[in-house]
């Protein structure tokens, strides 16, 4: 790798996460203001329903993604790699990002409201140990990575959920039998 590429990557890892956090914080604050601001419990559950409901809808939408592109193509001449498709993908990411932040906010607020509420330090340790333990048992600890450790480039053919589904299909084709420490995880 040349020095120019190295410096670009350093700058990318320094800049992109800042604006990802700007986006997350902005959505979070707007939810604080508009999702039942006087009732944290109701606000948290509203975030959970909106976030998980939206993510399920997006996931189902991915199953029919080619149908959407064909339908959009009929009306807007969306061809692979065109500005229209890129715009559609960015709006899609914006909406999915909203749902992701909504889920994070719901879980965060519910933990603040219900996990060792009288002792903040114990709550922090409990949250860290429970989360780490379950992720390790599910063989999903790398899921904790987020900017700056992980940056996803916008690309029409590598949208994160589609990419994850393709990786999962490839992994299942390569490993017919996979043993997980917990019986619950066999559905993953």
């Amino acid at each position: 790798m040349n020095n120019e590429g190295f410096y670009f990557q350093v700058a990318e890892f320094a800049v992109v996460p800042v604006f990802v956090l700007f986006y997350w914080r902005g959505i979070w604050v707007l939810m604080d203001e508009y999702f039942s601001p006087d009732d944290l419990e109701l606000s948290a559950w509203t975030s959970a329903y909106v976030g998980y409901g939206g993510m399920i809808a997006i996931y189902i939408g991915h199953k029919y993604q080619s149908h959407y592109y064909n339908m959009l193509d009929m009306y807007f001449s969306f061809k692979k790699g065109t500005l229209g498709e890129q715009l559609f993908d960015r709006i899609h990411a914006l909406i999915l990002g909203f749902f992701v932040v909504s889920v994070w906010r719901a879980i965060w607020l519910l933990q603040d409201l219900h996990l060792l509420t009288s002792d903040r330090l114990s709550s922090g340790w409990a949250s860290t140990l429970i989360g780490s333990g379950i992720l390790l048992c599910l063989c999903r600890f790398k899921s904790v990575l987020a900017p700056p450790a992980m940056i996803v480039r916008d690309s029409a053919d590598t949208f994160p959920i589609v990419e994850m589904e393709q990786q999962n299909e490839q992994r299942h084709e390569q490993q017919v039998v996979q043993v997980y420490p917990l019986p619950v995880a066999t559905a993953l």
Side-chain angles (χ1 to χ4, degrees), residues 18-20 59-60 74 114 124 130 133 145 160 181 186:
V18 170
F19 295 104
V20 168
Y59 180 76
I60 292 169
M74 288 179 5
H114 300 290
I130 291 168
L145 300 177
T186 57

Side-chain angles (χ1 to χ4, degrees), residues 12 14 22 33 48 57-58 65 68 73 75 77 82-83 108-109 129 142 166 179:
E12 185 177 36
F22 266 61
E33 291 298 317
I58 294 251
Q65 185 174 13
Y68 293 141
D73 186 36
Y75 296 106
S77 296
T82 64
L83 181 62
W108 198 295
L109 289 177
L129 294 173
K142 288 183 181 178
Q166 291 169 350
V179 179

Side-chain angles (χ1 to χ4, degrees), residues 92-147:
H92 185 250
L94 181 77
I95 294 167
L96 180 59
F98 174 83
F99 296 140
V100 168
V101 173
S102 188
V103 168
W104 278 48
R105 179 179 180 272
I107 293 168
W108 198 295
L109 289 177
L110 289 169
Q111 281 192 21
D112 282 350
L113 291 168
H114 300 290
L115 184 64
L116 299 169
T117 58
S118 61
D119 184 357
R120 186 169 169 81
L121 182 61
S122 295
S123 177
W125 277 109
S127 184
T128 301
L129 294 173
I130 291 168
S132 297
I134 291 174
L135 288 172
L136 287 168
C137 289
L138 295 173
C139 299
R140 297 293 188 266
F141 194 79
K142 288 183 181 178
S143 296
V144 301
L145 300 177

